[in-house]
Amino acid sequence: MFVPLKGAWALIFGVSSGMGLEAARALAEAGCGIIGVHFDLAEGRQEAEQHAGELGDLGVAAHFFNRNIASKQARAELVPVIRELTAGAGLRVVVHSVAYGTLTSLLPSPDGREPGTTAKQLAMTVDVMGHSLVYWTQDLLEADLLPRGANIFAMTSTGGTRVLPNYAPVAAAKAVLESHVRHLAVELAPRGVAVNAIRAGTTITPALRKIPGSDQIIAQCREINPGGRLTRPEDVAEAIVTLSSSDSSWLTGNVIGVDGGEALVR
């Protein structure tokens, strides 16, 4: 059964840009209040504040917080705030759209110019992009902020199952993230909470631009995508809004491709 999102609340991690921002915008247009968490320096913080104002102009409440989502202290500070903002009603939607990690190869380059991934870099990347989904789910559940009918979405990529240059730590994080989605889906099923991963196609975002060789990736995927274009953040946002409008928790534990068929031919 489909239910309106007006008056519900959404928690968006990575809300200041890319798919997180577009998901926040689409959910706000559907009537959701937005609680956004991002991690930016001075210029990025100003842009995030501007985006929060734009969402407010849509007629919903929008509250952005600049915090490291992998920080235990950040969770301790924000979970009570979320409870207060939602008046104890909890969250209808949680979107984990986090792109913060090391882009390197695992081993040193043959010429010695690139050192390879360190233990610290690997642990940080997997913790922020993978394990943080579990940390937040644990704390939100303990605070009774995940009511029956809630939907949790984690953003993954084809890099979680394929080898891309300089993507190894992030690929490991995505594989971990997808594993967590499966286990959380089973553990939350009795509570009526759905957990799914969204595997977007190649989408031009600030995160993609940071990947070495991104121009080549973009050109290749634009050429082969059966839909004749790259995936857009709006495509992903539309899928999240559509899935969040269902009161059923029976679609859970999946990796859902939103890519126009790109993964089928890539």
Side-chain angles (χ1 to χ4, degrees), residues 116-152:
T117 307
T118 66
K120 183 177 180 180
Q121 289 172 327
L122 190 59
M124 178 275 293
T125 302
V126 175
D127 198 51
V128 174
M129 299 184 70
H131 298 327
S132 64
L133 174 68
V134 175
Y135 306 150
W136 274 95
T137 302
Q138 289 172 335
D139 287 2
L140 293 172
L141 185 66
E142 183 178 359
D144 200 25
L145 290 170
L146 293 175
R148 184 169 293 273
N151 288 270
I152 300 174

Side-chain angles (χ1 to χ4, degrees), residues 78-104:
L78 291 181
V79 168
V81 173
I82 295 168
R83 173 181 280 280
E84 181 178 354
L85 289 172
T86 63
L91 300 161
R92 176 74 183 183
V93 186
V94 177
V95 178
H96 186 277
S97 180
V98 181
Y100 185 83
T102 299
L103 293 166
T104 63

Side-chain angles (χ1 to χ4, degrees), residues 159-195:
T161 56
R162 295 199 171 116
V163 176
L164 301 175
N166 302 299
Y167 199 74
V170 176
K174 294 299 186 183
V176 166
L177 185 68
E178 291 180 21
S179 178
H180 289 334
V181 163
R182 290 189 290 271
H183 286 82
L184 288 172
V186 170
E187 294 185 31
L188 287 172
R191 299 173 182 268
V193 176
V195 187

